[in-house]
Amino acid sequence: MKEIQINSSAIIYEDLSELSKEDFDLMQHAIEARKKAYAPYSKFNVGAALLLHNGKVITGNNQESAAYPSGMCAERVAIWKAGSEFPDMIVKKIAITAASSETKVNKPVGPCGACRQTLSEYEINQKQPIEIIFMGEIGQIIKTESLLSLLPFSFDSSYL
Ligand code: THU
């Protein structure tokens, strides 16, 4: 029997002005995408923006449905939109932001478990980490160096 350490680190920024220009610009794309979310049921609007290695930015936002489970998160809309258009893409980073018309979202909103799993497939396939930068509407911003650092002991195709 032995105990192991699971290490991952994150950077916490106090506000957007502390981000690098690249991260700041990508977050602006996520904010614009968030404003176009279709979330009439949860009223929780999420925007995501992917920066590809070739410099292209692909955005997505959550899309809900009156049949609630049929909706989809912003992150998966964005990654599938990108993957379907650019199957050989390398994703450098993803910025995520959430805002609600019911409450002020003032803490960073990380990707849900299903989105982490989905994004991890792309990170594994491209053999390069995807940085994740996430925030609410206001307040702190969190940045992690890779997707898998948010998903220890994850499931992948090697188990199949
Ligand atoms: N949502 C996202 O878009 N991304 C996440 O990572 C968490 C949740 C969406 C799904 C749903 O439309 C709304 O937020 C409330 O859960």
Side-chain angles (χ1 to χ4, degrees):
M1 199 272 276
K2 68 174 177 180
E3 187 177 314
I4 60 162
Q5 298 296 319
I6 303 165
N7 290 319
S8 67
S9 64
I11 302 172
I12 300 183
Y13 301 98
E14 289 307 316
D15 66 70
L16 282 169
S17 67
E18 294 181 1
L19 297 186
S20 69
K21 182 172 176 354
E22 188 173 82
D23 292 358
F24 178 87
D25 288 350
L26 193 63
M27 189 57 84
Q28 297 310 309
H29 283 283
I31 291 168
E32 287 311 308
R34 188 191 74 208
K35 292 177 184 164
K36 292 185 259 181
Y38 178 65
Y41 305 105
S42 72
K43 305 193 185 335
F44 192 76
N45 291 15
V46 185
L50 299 166
L51 177 63
L52 308 188
H53 259 266
N54 65 9
K56 273 193 192 313
V57 174
I58 310 287
T59 61
N61 47 37
N62 52 330
Q63 296 292 316
E64 297 186 347
S65 165
Y68 293 171
S70 304
M72 186 45 64
C73 291
E75 298 89 326
R76 277 177 285 168
V77 169
I79 192 79
W80 287 335
K81 189 173 153 190
S84 62
E85 205 176 340
F86 306 106
D88 301 321
M89 68 181 180
I90 307 271
V91 182
K92 196 170 171 191
K93 50 183 77 175
I94 178 170
I96 304 160
T97 171
S100 166
S101 55
E102 310 276 278
T103 171
K104 203 65 163 172
V105 183
N106 59 7
K107 56 184 182 188
V109 177
C112 78
C115 287
R116 291 179 200 207
Q117 183 67 41
T118 303
L119 291 164
S120 75
E121 180 103 8
Y122 291 82
E123 182 172 274
I124 291 165
N125 286 348
Q126 72 179 27
K127 299 185 182 66
Q128 288 183 50
I130 300 175
E131 294 173 6
I132 311 175
I133 308 142
F134 54 95
M135 65 179 292
E137 182 182 4
I138 55 168
Q140 292 179 327
I141 303 115
I142 295 182
K143 178 172 180 173
T144 63
E145 63 204 2
S146 77
L147 199 286
L148 287 173
S149 70
L150 292 178
L151 203 61
F153 302 114
S154 63
F155 184 80
D156 61 41
S157 62
S158 68
Y159 295 104
L160 299 175

